[in-house]
């Protein structure tokens, strides 16, 4: 079973200086490889990943500073570039690029704007690695010894909360990514772990997602919506206003104060993101530990965010929550149609049953209950029926 763990490195100047040097070298290798690939392609020669990797030894002889970066990291850079081009050619073949170009031309025509033909040619193509955007180093291998992480070329690194490594029985290590974020360096490692055997008690629960409550279970548990973004909106608004005042239109390189304010805004967004992710992990782990099967609606989140509740729907992150549940426990999706209008007591379905957003009262049997709790019960019933139908076959 694959598992990804993320740790923050200690705020060490040596780590930061080394990372800055190596990421600069990786960026140069990426851009040079891109230039080489495009020059060869213009002559009708399409280089493979193997061909590009074969040029690294001769490049190291010509440019000795390349030896400062582990060869596996340089090969990972080439692999990333080749995947980007493979994706570009696939989109070119299936017509995705043509649709994007047509969309751009229609937008220019609609807004009476001149067509930027340079931009038009570059739509969908792999971009050059820019200093502000190229911020991660991939390691193809790493080791875990005595509960510590060892990176090739770096040796043992000090990270926060490395005690969590001892919680898992690791059968194999895969790869690692060292990334620079607004508050420091982080490492994400991928490992193979031995699955933990749970007591098979076959407990089933239905959950109804919402905005007032994050979700309501069919067992009558109401989980509050923490509204992380809403709590930071005022602070974010002030920070964004300061940022807009420091921006000078038409200037490519902004002032130092502008970039400092960019970091302030980024830290606020990261604070919201981290708090939300922590909450989603805790709630999904709680459901996975207490229930063998979790049933939820197969929601069209992409369509739902087009409403006036888009900000609130993005804030609760149902899609991320469903992904977390999917790899932690068994999940069954049911059709969301009429789950909020059906009476869980008598089965009568009509829109008049839903008096308000929070109150459900059946017009047939006068059964009254919280609307979300009623919906969660219907979701569990629909999922249980699907399970029994599969077992009968």
């Amino acid at each position: 079973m694959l598992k990804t763990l993320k740790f923050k490195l200690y705020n060490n100047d040596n780590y930061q200086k080394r990372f800055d040097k190596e990421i600069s070298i990786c960026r140069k290798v990426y851009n040079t490889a891109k230039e080489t690939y495009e020059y060869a392609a213009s002559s009708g020669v399409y280089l493979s990943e193997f061909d590009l990797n074969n040029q690294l030894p001769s490049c190291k002889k010509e440019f000795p500073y390349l030896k400062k970066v582990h060869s596996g990291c340089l090969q990972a850079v080439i692999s990333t570039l080749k995947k980007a081009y493979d994706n570009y050619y696939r989109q070119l073949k299936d017509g995705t690029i043509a649709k994007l170009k047509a969309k751009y031309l229609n937008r220019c025509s609609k807004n009476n704007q001149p067509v930027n033909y340079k931009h038009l040619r570059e739509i969908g193509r792999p971009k050059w690695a820019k200093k502000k955007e190229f911020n991660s180093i991939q390691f193809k291998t790493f080791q875990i010894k005595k509960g510590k992480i060892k990176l090739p070329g770096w040796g043992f690194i000090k990270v926060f909360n490395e005690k969590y490594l001892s919680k898992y029985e690791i059968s194999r290590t895969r790869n690692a990514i060292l990334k620079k974020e607004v508050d420091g360096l982080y490492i994400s490692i991928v490992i193979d772990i031995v699955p933990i055997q749970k007591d098979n008690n076959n407990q089933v629960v239905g959950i109804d997602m919402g905005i007032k409550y994050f979700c309501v279970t069919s067992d009558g548990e109401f989980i509050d919506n923490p509204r992380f973004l809403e709590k930071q909106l005022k602070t974010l608004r002030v920070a964004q206003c300061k940022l807009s005042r420091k921006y000078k239109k038409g200037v490519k390189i902004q002032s130092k104060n502008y970039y400092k304010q960019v970091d302030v805004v980024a830290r606020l967004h990261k604070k919201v993101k981290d708090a939300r992710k922590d909450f989603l992990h805790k709630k999904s782990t709680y459901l996975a530990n207490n229930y063998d099967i979790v049933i939820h609606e197969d929601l069209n989140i992409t369509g739902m965010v087009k409403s006036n509740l888009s900000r609130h729907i993005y804030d609760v992150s149902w899609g991320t929550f469903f992904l977390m549940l999917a790899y932690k426990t068994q999940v069954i999706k049911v059709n969301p149609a009429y789950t909020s209008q059906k009476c869980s007591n008598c089965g009568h379905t009509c829109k008049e049953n839903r008096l308000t957003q929070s109150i459900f009262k059946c017009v047939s049997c006068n059964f009254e209950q919280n609307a979300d709790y009623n919906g969660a019960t219907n979701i569990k019933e629909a999922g249980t029926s699907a399970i029994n139908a599969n077992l009968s076959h």
Side-chain angles (χ1 to χ4, degrees):
M1 177 181 173
L2 288 177
K3 189 169 185 66
T4 302
L5 299 175
K6 188 175 182 180
F7 301 95
K8 183 180 180 182
L9 274 67
Y10 276 85
N11 293 326
N12 188 315
D13 288 340
N14 292 331
Y15 288 158
Q16 192 65 55
K17 289 177 182 177
R18 178 161 190 168
F19 179 85
D20 290 340
K21 288 180 181 178
E22 293 197 8
I23 199 68
S24 177
I25 293 171
C26 288
R27 189 172 66 252
K28 288 179 182 178
V29 170
Y30 183 94
N31 287 332
T32 304
K34 183 178 185 298
E35 186 179 7
T36 304
Y37 184 88
E38 290 188 346
Y39 178 78
S42 64
S43 305
V45 179
Y46 292 91
L47 301 175
S48 66
E49 184 179 341
F50 179 79
D51 295 329
L52 291 171
N53 281 329
N54 270 351
Q55 298 182 37
L56 286 175
S58 58
C59 290
K60 286 182 178 180
K61 291 179 182 178
E62 188 175 354
F63 306 103
Y65 64 84
L66 293 178
K67 296 178 182 178
K68 295 180 181 179
V69 182
H70 191 265
S71 58
C73 299
L74 298 180
Q75 291 170 10
V77 170
I78 302 296
S79 180
T80 301
L81 175 69
K82 194 62 177 67
K83 286 177 182 176
Y85 272 104
D86 289 344
N87 185 49
Y88 168 69
Y89 289 128
R90 187 179 66 253
Q91 290 183 340
L92 203 61
K93 188 176 181 180
D94 63 20
T96 304
I97 301 295
K99 290 179 182 177
L100 291 173
K101 289 184 176 181
K103 187 176 180 181
Y104 171 72
L105 291 172
N106 289 335
R107 187 167 68 248
C108 291
S109 175
K110 185 178 180 181
N111 299 331
N112 294 322
Q113 294 177 344
V115 177
N116 186 337
Y117 289 99
K118 182 180 178 181
H119 173 73
L120 186 66
R121 287 193 302 271
E122 294 297 318
I123 287 177
R125 295 181 69 88
K127 303 294 189 293
W128 297 98
K130 297 181 180 178
K131 187 175 180 179
K132 295 289 183 182
E133 299 171 3
F134 197 85
N135 58 359
S136 63
I137 302 173
Q138 184 175 344
F139 297 84
K140 288 192 170 183
T141 60
F142 72 98
Q143 294 179 335
I144 296 177
K145 291 184 177 180
K146 297 180 181 180
K148 293 186 177 181
I149 302 171
K150 185 179 181 181
L151 294 177
W154 283 62
F156 290 101
I157 58 173
K158 293 183 178 180
V159 298
F160 289 97
N161 298 324
E162 63 182 11
K163 61 183 180 181
Y164 286 106
L165 286 171
S166 59
K167 288 177 60 178
Y168 304 100
E169 187 179 344
I170 302 172
S171 59
R172 182 184 173 189
T173 57
R174 296 281 182 157
N175 53 49
I177 296 177
L178 195 61
K179 185 176 181 180
K180 183 179 182 180
E181 297 191 10
V182 67
D183 59 341
L185 295 176
Y186 287 81
I187 182 167
S188 298
I189 60 173
V190 181
I191 54 176
D192 266 326
I193 64 170
V194 178
I196 300 172
Q197 297 295 328
K198 295 194 301 181
D199 295 333
N200 189 17
N201 49 13
N202 294 321
Q203 290 196 39
V204 181
V205 69
I207 57 173
D208 183 64
M209 311 305 295
I211 293 175
K212 181 180 179 181
Y213 294 101
F214 174 72
C215 76
V216 178
T217 71
S218 56
D219 288 345
E221 184 176 0
F222 292 74
I223 300 176
D224 289 326
N225 180 7
R227 301 177 187 272
F228 294 110
L229 180 60
E230 195 170 314
K231 292 175 182 177
Q232 295 291 335
L233 275 181
K234 186 177 179 180
T235 310
L236 273 168
R237 191 178 293 114
V238 173
Q240 290 280 16
C241 287
K242 288 183 179 179
L243 181 65
S244 64
R245 286 198 294 269
K246 289 176 171 56
Y247 178 75
K248 295 180 180 178
K249 192 174 180 180
V251 179
K252 288 186 177 180
I253 300 176
Q254 300 293 326
S255 65
K256 289 184 178 179
N257 286 334
Y258 172 81
Y259 291 113
K260 285 180 182 178
Q261 190 62 26
V262 167
D263 285 345
V264 171
V265 175
R267 284 175 185 273
L268 287 171
H269 280 292
K270 189 175 187 302
K271 183 178 180 180
V272 173
K273 177 185 173 183
D274 290 346
R276 183 190 295 122
K277 189 175 180 181
D278 179 69
F279 170 80
L280 295 176
H281 267 301
K282 285 178 178 177
K283 295 308 174 187
S284 58
T285 302
Y286 166 76
L287 290 173
N289 290 340
N290 288 277
Y291 301 98
D292 290 327
I293 301 174
V294 177
I295 306 168
H296 67 77
E297 295 172 307
D298 189 9
L299 298 174
N300 179 18
I301 301 174
T302 306
M304 295 174 72
V305 294
K306 295 177 181 178
S307 68
N308 57 353
L309 296 174
S310 58
R311 190 180 72 201
H312 302 286
I313 295 172
Y314 278 124
D315 195 18
V316 287
S317 294
W318 293 331
T320 305
F321 180 70
F322 292 156
L323 286 174
M324 290 179 178
L325 275 177
Y327 71 78
K328 292 180 181 180
T329 188
Q330 185 180 352
V331 169
I332 293 177
K333 300 178 183 179
V334 299
N335 189 344
Y338 307 113
T339 55
S340 62
Q341 299 177 10
K342 180 182 176 182
C343 176
S344 58
N345 185 46
C346 69
H348 179 69
T349 304
C350 68
K351 62 180 181 180
E352 287 78 14
N353 287 344
R354 190 81 178 258
L355 293 176
T356 65
Q357 189 65 27
S358 59
I359 299 175
F360 180 93
K361 187 174 182 180
C362 180
V363 296
S364 177
C365 66
N366 291 325
F367 175 73
E368 188 172 349
Q369 197 176 55
N370 179 276
D372 294 328
Y373 184 20
N374 178 77
T377 306
N378 290 330
I379 291 167
K380 180 182 177 181
E381 183 183 349
T384 305
S385 301
I387 295 170
N388 294 334
N390 289 333
L391 290 175
S392 63
H393 290 303

